[in-house]
Amino acid sequence: MTQTGVAPLPADFFPADCPVQSVPVLGSRKWAWKIIRCLEDGPRRFSELRVPLSGITAKVLAESLRSMEQDGVVARTEYAENPPRVEYALTSLGRTLLGPMDAVCEWSRENLGALLEARLEYERQGH
């Protein structure tokens, strides 16, 4: 037992069959969730994505889309037109993230006030 009265955490606490750290879409990519939301209703062109994602640079958007394409979450389709046209869309794998994202959004709506109040209280205590 530890000082807290709970058993110590084992070195293999995170099971090998739960590779949460290798699923970058779940949080380590700042813009991924917003890009997924932008693509929820169908394919979009790069310039269309820049409108709601006004805080992102073209370089970072391109890198994010390329990374999400590499993960199999986004598909990039080039059309042989003049001028050339490229669209981005969620893959079937990418669409599976919408349900978990909805759950996180719902949790946020229900708990954001309490979370912000906890932060204020922490600051009031001088931490």
Side-chain angles (χ1 to χ4, degrees):
M1 291 291 195
T2 65
Q3 290 179 348
T4 60
V6 222
L9 294 172
D12 60 351
F13 181 73
F14 296 101
D17 63 344
C18 184
V20 74
Q21 293 181 12
S22 64
V23 184
V25 172
L26 295 180
S28 66
R29 294 202 182 120
K30 179 179 178 179
W31 295 97
W33 284 43
K34 289 181 179 182
I35 292 170
I36 290 169
R37 279 294 178 207
C38 289
L39 297 174
E40 182 175 10
D41 292 332
R44 301 284 180 180
R45 295 177 76 164
F46 189 89
S47 58
E48 289 180 281
L49 294 172
R50 297 279 320 269
V51 175
L53 302 173
S54 59
I56 192 172
T57 65
K59 178 185 177 202
V60 171
L61 178 57
E63 290 170 352
S64 297
L65 287 165
R66 190 170 21 259
S67 180
M68 294 170 75
E69 183 181 7
Q70 179 184 5
D71 288 343
V73 175
V74 168
R76 181 181 188 272
T77 305
E78 294 182 43
Y79 295 93
E81 299 174 353
N82 193 6
R85 178 171 57 108
V86 175
E87 289 183 343
Y88 298 89
L90 288 178
T91 62
S92 56
L93 178 62
R95 297 197 81 66
T96 66
L97 290 165
L98 295 172
M101 287 174 62
D102 290 341
V104 170
C105 288
E106 183 61 29
W107 182 91
S108 297
R109 279 192 283 282
E110 292 175 8
N111 297 288
L112 184 60
L115 184 142
L116 294 174
E117 182 56 39
R119 287 181 184 173
L120 285 173
E121 182 59 30
Y122 184 84
E123 292 300 318
R124 279 194 287 267
Q125 292 176 8
H127 295 284

